[in-house]
Amino acid sequence: MAGPGSARRTSRGASALLTAALLYAALGDTVRSEQQIPLSVVKLWASAFGGEIKSIAAKYSGSQLLQKKYKEYEKDVTIEEIDGLQLVKKLAKNMEEMFHKKSEAVRRLVEAAEEAHLKHEFDADLQYEYFNAVLINERDKDGNFLELGKEFILAPNDHFNNLPVNISLSDVQVPTNMYNKDPAIVNGVYWSESLNKVFVDNFDRDPSLIWQYFGSAKGFFRQYPGIKWEPDENGVIAFDCRNRKWYIQAATSPKDVVILVDVSGSMKGLRLTIAKQTVSSILDTLGDDDFFNIIAYNEELHYVEPCLNGTLVQADRTNKEHFREHLDKLFAKGIGMLDIALNEAFNILSDFNHTGQGSICSQAIMLITDGAVDTYDTIFAKYNWPDRKVRIFTYLIGREAAFADNLKWMACANKGFFTQISTLADVQENVMEYLHVLSRPKVIDQEHDVVWTEAYIDSTYEEGKKRRKPNYSSVDLSEVEWEDRDDVLRNAMVNRKTGKFSMEVKKTVDKGKRVLVMTNDYYYTDIKGTPFSLGVALSRGHGKYFFRGNVTIEEGLHDLEHPDVSLADEWSYCNTDLHPEHRHLSQLEAIKLYLKGKEPLLQCDKELIQEVLFDAVVSAPIEAYWTSLALNKSENSDKGVEVAFLGTRTGLSRTNLFVGAEQLTNQDFLKAGDKENIFNADHFPLWYRRAAEQIPGSFVYSIPFSTGTVNKSNVVTASTSIQLLDERKSPVVAAVGIQMKLEFFQRKFWTASRQCASLDGKCSISCDDETVNCYLIDNNGFILVSEDYMQTGDFFGEIEGAVMNKLLSMGSFKRITLYDYQAMCRANKESSDGARGLLDPYNAFLSAVKWIMTELVLFLVEFNLCSWWHSDLTATAQKLKQTMEPCDTEYPAFVSERTIKETTGNIACEDCSKSFVIQQIPSSNLFMVVVDSSCLCESVAPITMAPIEIRYNESLKCERLKAQKIRRRPESCHGFHPEENARECGGVPSLQASVALLLLPLLLLLFSR
């Protein structure tokens, strides 16, 4: 809606121009005196608008009626203060039982797999048609099923995110670079078919399970329930279960690793490319319990990250990515002095082990080179013999075998493994060999440790698509509760303490644009039998209390039957997962059946349901109230108010439409996709949370921020909290509100701004005047009304930077700096596709072919041709392109000071003085701002809310890399065993994994619905 000042400006354009010219001539360079904006008039406007809009909001929301109804039941209500420690201990006990069920499911799989493998005799000629996850249901041009692609029945299942699955059978995924019918794979798939019945049995026993996995050391991956896998646009599935954290953590113990990379002159060209990819693949196998460093060597040592000279760092994702970026800086020249590198590696491992900061378990040196002229037995005798506590893994790069014996001897003499990598396609499979070796002690010990990973998303992030930071779901507590600067809460939870901690926090809401400032009390304890700790945060004030009401089941059931009643379906009022016949039920349907006694097997939360019944009974009269308003044609004749809604602390919701559903301005509001405005598993609706933080009896108004290409900023939401008052205890029991058209809301504002108190009806100032701009902003500084409709939803500081800056300096608003440690930032990078090409099997094959062709022309080896061929993959198109990279950002949010109701101010600008008045709208979170528009004050820059990337200088980067937060190590360590067969150290046909080794990487994803 255009403001009243837009039309009249055209008619007065010529005269205004003449006046301005005359005024300028008269004043010359002197500063113009500011226009005085009378505070009393602005206060009158604010009062008139506030009274009108609150009357509308209260009337259509039914807030007064609902407050009255809860008041009537006060005598039947008991208000209790929540005992945070008791609550967190109760929740931890429940989670302990849940985790135990998952552990038992893993144990059953392990026992079944071991038994099946013992009974199986390897048959190199075995022919077996299994369900290949990529080929299932695929047909050839004649309509026949492909080999390994038999018919596999799939049906959508809401328990598995509505994906098409087969809950009777598992299927098998084999990495693209492996042969589907390799004898080792066929035999493994054959005997592991017996796990199907265990998968199904586990799911029947614990229906909260989602995915169950079996990962083989041979590379195949059995998944239950069976699902079809789709390759990428190149026909490739890069997934290899052996690269996943859950596999690696289950198969090996924590380790300290030094990676030595030969960068002598003989490593030029493709050899160095293969070496870099080998390092990158080794990094893929390291997890948060591991520590590492990378040293390049020729006649000198070159730490890939110079600031980490002489130490190791934790192998978290951030550190590994940092080192990967530095690998590109390596180049080959000079002579390789391996003895210097080995001495350095042994010294680092020894010194770091004595600090007590590392894994305190296994240690290893990974040597990547194209040859060694000696066995360096004197160095090993000095540092490693006779105990051989540091394993040596050697990777010979290239096809030449002249130095293979020396490298193999080093590995075999130090309980390691030797392997030769001739092409890029060989890298991943050969790197995996070291995991088999590190698994031996655990295998011999016959340990079946249950290993719990952190929460993570096992998916890839494609360029050009909206991406989350890869480790988004695994975030250090200090990056979430960043106000805890001294890590008091984090360290207490890491150390599995039980206790309480309090601090002021800034909680971002509404897509991070708004902030709620509150004081939280944190209660924490450990979860027995797991490495986890549990914490609960309770907000001071309303978050510290709850109340218990009492109504009969008959009353409650009657009022739950209303069609506009809904419950938070992501909440667990009843456990509908336990029995298959209940899985189709909504929570509301389950509660009704439970209360009627028709489903004795249903397990429900009796206390929570009792509170739902109480809320249903107390809030029921509002339905009749809303209906009477809707039926009264004289009310809401212009249909400005469209929706009324209610939500209670038990997740019960009621809605009422005052217009037809097809006439709603915002069709998405309160729908399942409108996650911020409905009850979810992890938060209350936005309008509920904001109302709860508002002063009781007042309304909070806001406009939805635009998302994507759809502009939703054409409605205004108003909500208020309903509280039970009992001395100083004020638990929020519900929130009610309305949604109205923005045009209707703005019209009320402009009408109010035309009022004046003069007896002759002549106003001294008006929002129609060309010399003033009138705005309505909320307590976070966002514009709800402006003469320029396009400014609706913008931050006030971007439009009136000088005024916002003055409001900040006067204390009317305060700036709060927030941090996002999971952000994605645009970065300019050279568009060399080398790194990505290494991951593509086709590029790897092409590279290998080119290398072979290069080798045929002997006089050009290591010089021109190899570099020329290889450049296609590593140095083509060296131009900048924009990518999205993980980063840390800081950004501002703004909050009004509640104690300041009105303010006037003057701003000295370059050639004028700008005046303004800000006045709070009564009973709301809104402010009217009237600004002198004759003084532009362009010298003051706008204030924006754009995030700013935190750029760390080299010194600070180094400190962040070195910094190690307190952490707990895994309780078990299987670093060595005296019965290990050190003779199985490579250079012969692939090491045969023992049965226990094959069974270690079993995993069930633990998330419950």
Side-chain angles (χ1 to χ4, degrees):
M1 172 184 174
S6 56
R8 40 98 166 124
R9 285 192 175 128
T10 304
S11 63
R12 296 190 225 164
S15 60
L17 181 61
L18 177 60
T19 302
L22 292 173
L23 183 62
Y24 180 79
L27 296 180
D29 294 331
T30 62
V31 176
R32 298 196 301 268
S33 61
E34 71 274 5
Q35 172 177 322
Q36 295 299 323
I37 301 172
L39 175 62
S40 59
V41 174
V42 178
K43 184 179 291 188
L44 174 66
W45 296 344
S47 178
F49 174 69
E52 171 78 358
I53 205 67
K54 182 183 180 182
S55 174
I56 292 170
K59 177 179 179 179
Y60 284 94
S61 68
S63 59
Q64 293 173 336
L65 171 64
L66 192 61
Q67 183 73 65
K68 178 184 176 183
K69 288 299 177 183
Y70 273 103
K71 195 75 175 175
E72 290 174 359
Y73 280 88
E74 266 191 5
K75 61 181 182 300
D76 300 321
V77 168
T78 58
I79 298 177
E80 302 175 13
E81 183 171 356
I82 299 173
D83 185 331
L85 280 177
Q86 182 181 351
L87 175 63
V88 76
K89 288 177 181 177
K90 177 184 176 181
L91 294 174
K93 183 64 177 176
N94 293 340
M95 296 189 74
E96 178 188 339
E97 294 172 359
M98 182 271 291
F99 282 124
H100 179 70
K101 288 182 179 179
K102 315 307 176 194
S103 298
E104 287 300 296
V106 172
R107 181 186 57 77
R108 287 190 289 270
L109 279 171
V110 169
E111 291 176 354
E114 286 182 341
E115 182 181 357
H117 187 272
L118 285 173
K119 291 180 178 178
H120 177 75
E121 291 187 9
F122 184 85
D123 180 359
D125 299 320
L126 178 65
Q127 300 294 314
Y128 180 63
E129 285 285 317
Y130 61 91
F131 290 111
N132 184 290
V134 180
L135 301 175
I136 53 173
N137 299 330
E138 295 288 332
R139 298 175 184 267
D140 60 22
K141 60 183 180 181
D142 297 324
N144 300 315
F145 285 113
L146 296 179
E147 191 176 19
L148 304 182
K150 298 177 292 183
E151 182 179 12
F152 193 74
I153 298 173
L154 298 170
N157 190 306
D158 59 356
H159 185 76
F160 297 94
N161 299 322
N162 218 33
L163 293 170
V165 296
N166 185 319
I167 59 173
S168 300
L169 293 170
S170 63
D171 57 6
V172 175
Q173 178 265 342
V174 179
T176 302
N177 63 337
M178 301 186 71
Y179 179 41
N180 281 327
K181 303 192 77 173
D182 180 278
I185 288 178
V186 173
N187 276 266
V189 169
Y190 177 78
W191 67 255
S192 65
E193 283 286 337
S194 62
L195 297 180
N196 275 320
K197 60 182 179 182
V198 186
F199 287 143
V200 174
D201 179 58
N202 279 342
F203 188 41
D204 288 340
R205 291 174 185 240
D206 182 5
S208 67
L209 285 175
I210 304 183
W211 306 104
Q212 300 179 60
Y213 299 156
F214 171 77
S216 166
K218 296 301 179 184
F220 74 83
F221 175 71
R222 183 176 289 280
Q223 180 177 15
Y224 173 88
I227 189 169
K228 184 169 178 59
W229 286 51
E230 299 291 346
D232 63 19
E233 62 273 13
N234 295 318
V236 174
I237 293 179
F239 179 88
D240 188 323
C241 65
R242 297 168 299 176
N243 265 341
R244 276 3 193 203
K245 276 189 176 182
W246 53 265
Y247 182 101
I248 295 165
Q249 287 181 224
T252 66
S253 292
K255 50 196 169 292
D256 300 332
V257 175
V258 175
I259 303 173
L260 301 178
V261 187
D262 184 354
V263 290
S264 62
S266 62
M267 289 287 289
K268 281 183 182 178
L270 189 58
R271 288 181 181 175
L272 186 58
T273 301
I274 295 174
K276 290 178 182 179
Q277 182 60 17
T278 302
V279 174
S280 184
S281 292
I282 292 172
L283 292 181
D284 284 338
T285 67
L286 302 181
D288 291 348
D289 293 326
D290 303 322
F291 292 79
F292 76 103
N293 204 338
I294 306 173
I295 304 173
Y297 71 91
N298 40 36
E299 59 266 32
E300 296 179 349
L301 299 179
H302 310 276
Y303 279 85
V304 169
E305 172 47 78
C307 91
L308 294 173
N309 190 317
T311 189
L312 303 180
V313 295
Q314 186 179 6
D316 59 31
R317 182 182 291 271
T318 301
N319 289 343
K320 290 191 293 185
E321 289 304 318
H322 179 83
F323 273 81
R324 278 196 177 94
E325 292 172 4
H326 282 60
L327 286 177
D328 291 337
K329 301 175 183 177
L330 296 181
F331 57 93
K333 69 173 185 177
I335 302 170
M337 303 293 287
L338 180 55
D339 54 339
I340 300 175
L342 287 172
N343 275 291
E344 181 76 0
F346 277 113
N347 284 323
I348 291 174
L349 292 172
S350 176
D351 293 345
F352 193 70
N353 192 50
H354 289 146
T355 67
Q357 294 180 328
S359 67
I360 316 296
C361 191
S362 300
Q363 291 194 317
I365 295 173
M366 310 288 201
L367 173 59
I368 301 165
T369 180
D370 63 348
V373 297
D374 192 7
T375 57
Y376 303 100
D377 51 321
T378 56
I379 295 176
F380 299 128
K382 176 181 177 181
Y383 292 104
N384 208 34
W385 295 346
D387 296 330
R388 293 174 170 79
K389 290 295 179 70
V390 178
R391 298 181 188 270
I392 307 295
F393 295 95
T394 54
Y395 300 90
L396 176 60
I397 305 300
R399 291 184 295 107
E400 291 81 359
F403 300 107
D405 288 343
N406 287 343
L407 290 173
K408 183 180 177 183
W409 184 93
M410 283 188 262
C412 295
N414 293 279
K415 293 188 176 180
F417 198 87
F418 161 80
T419 188
Q420 186 168 2
I421 302 176
S422 302
T423 69
L424 284 165
D426 297 336
V427 171
Q428 184 165 306
E429 198 64 27
N430 282 285
V431 165
M432 289 296 166
E433 295 291 350
Y434 96 88
L435 294 176
H436 302 166
V437 176
L438 292 184
S439 299
R440 289 173 184 163
K442 187 179 283 192
V443 172
I444 299 170
D445 285 336
Q446 296 186 331
E447 291 290 342
H448 296 100
D449 300 330
V450 176
V451 177
W452 303 91
T453 70
E454 77 280 12
Y456 69 100
I457 299 174
D458 198 352
S459 59
T460 57
Y461 295 80
E462 298 296 334
E463 198 171 310
K465 298 180 181 177
K466 185 177 180 180
R467 303 183 299 175
R468 259 194 283 196
K469 195 168 182 179
N471 56 336
Y472 181 85
S473 52
S474 174
V475 187
D476 194 283
L477 183 62
S478 61
E479 294 186 359
V480 178
E481 303 291 353
W482 48 264
E483 295 92 344
D484 180 17
R485 301 292 185 185
D486 297 324
D487 287 341
V488 175
L489 176 63
R490 180 193 181 278
N491 293 346
M493 293 187 69
V494 168
N495 289 321
R496 301 173 65 78
K497 304 288 186 183
T498 297
K500 174 187 175 183
F501 175 71
S502 303
M503 66 179 173
E504 184 181 85
V505 297
K506 288 87 176 176
K507 172 66 176 176
T508 58
V509 295
D510 211 357
K511 302 178 178 67
K513 293 180 179 290
R514 304 186 190 277
V515 63
L516 301 177
V517 181
M518 59 189 75
T519 299
N520 282 352
D521 292 325
Y522 297 85
Y523 301 89
Y524 49 85
T525 191
D526 63 316
I527 302 174
K528 302 291 190 296
T530 78
F532 303 121
S533 289
L534 175 66
V536 172
L538 298 178
S539 299
R540 292 246 179 110
H542 61 80
K544 292 285 289 183
Y545 302 97
F546 67 91
F547 72 94
R548 301 184 187 279
N550 189 28
V551 295
T552 65
I553 291 178
E554 290 73 19
E555 286 180 291
L557 262 175
H558 175 269
D559 290 323
L560 279 178
E561 295 291 348
H562 197 282
D564 285 336
V565 171
S566 63
L567 289 178
D569 220 38
E570 292 186 10
W571 291 19
S572 293
Y573 303 89
C574 295
N575 191 340
T576 56
D577 280 333
L578 285 179
H579 301 284
E581 62 269 24
H582 298 150
R583 288 176 188 157
H584 69 283
L585 295 174
S586 69
Q587 288 295 315
L588 184 56
E589 291 168 339
I591 288 176
K592 291 177 182 178
L593 290 174
Y594 170 75
L595 293 174
K596 293 174 182 177
K598 294 184 177 180
E599 290 290 340
L601 295 178
L602 262 178
Q603 295 184 13
C604 299
D605 187 328
K606 189 175 181 179
E607 286 187 3
L608 179 56
I609 290 176
Q610 181 62 41
E611 298 310 303
V612 169
L613 295 180
F614 179 81
D615 285 350
V617 170
V618 178
S619 65
I622 207 168
E623 296 282 0
Y625 174 82
W626 283 337
T627 301
S628 67
L629 285 178
L631 292 176
N632 190 337
K633 301 297 183 182
S634 63
E635 303 283 357
N636 197 31
S637 57
D638 55 2
K639 298 182 179 179
V641 179
E642 298 187 332
V643 185
F645 50 86
L646 170 154
T648 76
R649 90 283 188 211
T650 60
L652 181 143
S653 300
R654 295 179 185 270
T655 57
N656 184 80
L657 302 184
F658 294 114
V659 299
E662 70 285 351
Q663 296 176 290
L664 286 172
T665 305
N666 184 355
Q667 293 283 336
D668 296 332
F669 185 56
L670 301 179
K671 299 290 178 57
D674 186 16
K675 293 295 186 182
E676 281 207 312
N677 286 307
I678 61 174
F679 288 93
N680 276 307
D682 60 347
H683 63 72
F684 276 49
L686 177 61
W687 46 265
Y688 190 111
R689 286 179 285 165
R690 294 194 67 205
E693 297 300 323
Q694 191 72 6
I695 297 172
S698 62
F699 279 82
V700 58
Y701 301 85
S702 63
I703 60 174
F705 292 108
S706 300
T707 55
T709 58
V710 181
N711 184 6
K712 296 184 180 178
S713 299
N714 47 14
V715 291
V716 175
T717 301
S719 60
T720 187
S721 63
I722 307 298
Q723 295 187 325
L724 276 183
L725 304 179
D726 179 22
E727 298 175 353
R728 289 176 298 171
K729 302 175 183 177
S730 301
V732 173
V733 296
V736 294
I738 61 171
Q739 190 166 92
M740 63 191 110
K741 293 179 182 177
L742 178 60
E743 180 270 336
F744 169 81
F745 179 82
Q746 292 182 338
R747 191 165 67 247
K748 297 295 182 183
F749 175 83
W750 294 123
T751 300
S753 69
R754 293 190 180 98
Q755 299 189 22
C756 62
S758 61
L759 296 176
D760 59 3
K762 295 180 179 179
C763 302
S764 60
I765 191 171
S766 166
C767 285
D768 290 340
D769 292 347
E770 194 168 295
T771 54
V772 297
N773 287 332
C774 295
Y775 302 93
L776 184 69
I777 66 175
D778 65 19
N779 60 314
N780 298 119
F782 293 101
I783 298 172
L784 282 81
V785 182
S786 168
E787 294 177 17
D788 183 352
Y789 180 81
M790 296 306 296
Q791 293 173 354
T792 302
D794 288 348
F795 177 58
F796 181 67
E798 295 178 351
I799 309 301
E800 296 281 1
V803 178
M804 191 67 201
N805 194 58
K806 187 70 172 179
L807 291 173
L808 289 168
S809 66
M810 296 169 68
S812 296
F813 275 78
K814 60 181 177 181
R815 180 198 302 262
I816 297 174
T817 301
L818 303 170
Y819 300 92
D820 184 358
Y821 296 105
Q822 297 293 309
M824 300 292 286
C825 297
R826 296 188 182 279
N828 291 322
K829 281 197 168 185
E830 290 184 348
S831 61
S832 167
D833 292 330
R836 189 167 52 183
L838 296 178
L839 301 177
D840 188 332
Y842 299 106
N843 284 344
F845 174 75
L846 179 61
S847 179
V849 170
K850 290 182 177 181
W851 187 42
I852 292 171
M853 294 176 66
T854 305
E855 294 272 330
L856 295 177
V857 190
L858 297 177
F859 67 94
L860 290 175
V861 167
E862 309 289 6
F863 294 99
N864 300 329
L865 192 56
C866 185
S867 299
W868 178 77
W869 279 99
H870 179 57
S871 66
D872 284 352
L873 291 176
T874 60
T876 56
Q878 293 289 340
K879 58 186 178 183
L880 293 178
K881 71 173 181 179
Q882 249 183 16
T883 60
M884 298 298 290
E885 299 289 339
C887 64
D888 297 342
T889 60
E890 68 175 33
Y891 59 98
F894 300 87
V895 180
S896 64
E897 176 53 59
R898 283 183 174 178
T899 59
I900 299 178
K901 306 297 183 184
E902 59 191 33
T903 302
T904 61
N906 293 297
I907 306 163
C909 303
E910 58 277 4
D911 61 348
C912 59
S913 183
K914 189 181 190 74
S915 62
F916 68 90
V917 171
I918 179 169
Q919 175 69 51
Q920 185 175 33
I921 306 296
S923 301
S924 79
N925 66 319
L926 303 177
F927 295 85
M928 176 178 280
V929 189
V930 182
V931 180
D932 173 12
S933 63
S934 62
C935 179
L936 297 179
C937 215
E938 294 177 328
S939 60
V940 181
I943 297 175
T944 73
M945 297 183 67
I948 301 171
E949 182 179 357
I950 302 173
R951 296 188 178 275
Y952 303 102
N953 60 39
E954 290 304 316
S955 174
L956 191 54
K957 279 183 182 178
C958 187
E959 290 304 313
R960 284 170 58 85
L961 285 168
K962 288 181 178 178
Q964 291 189 24
K965 291 182 177 291
I966 291 177
R967 51 185 288 276
R968 282 181 63 85
R969 297 181 183 85
E971 294 182 358
S972 64
C973 169
H974 305 278
F976 296 91
H977 197 285
E979 297 177 16
E980 282 185 59
N981 182 6
R983 294 179 181 177
E984 292 185 357
C985 51
V988 292
S990 297
L991 180 66
Q992 293 294 321
S994 67
V995 54
L997 174 59
L998 287 166
L999 307 181
L1000 281 170
L1002 283 163
L1003 176 93
L1004 292 90
L1005 273 191
L1006 307 175
F1007 302 113
S1008 303
R1009 293 194 61 182

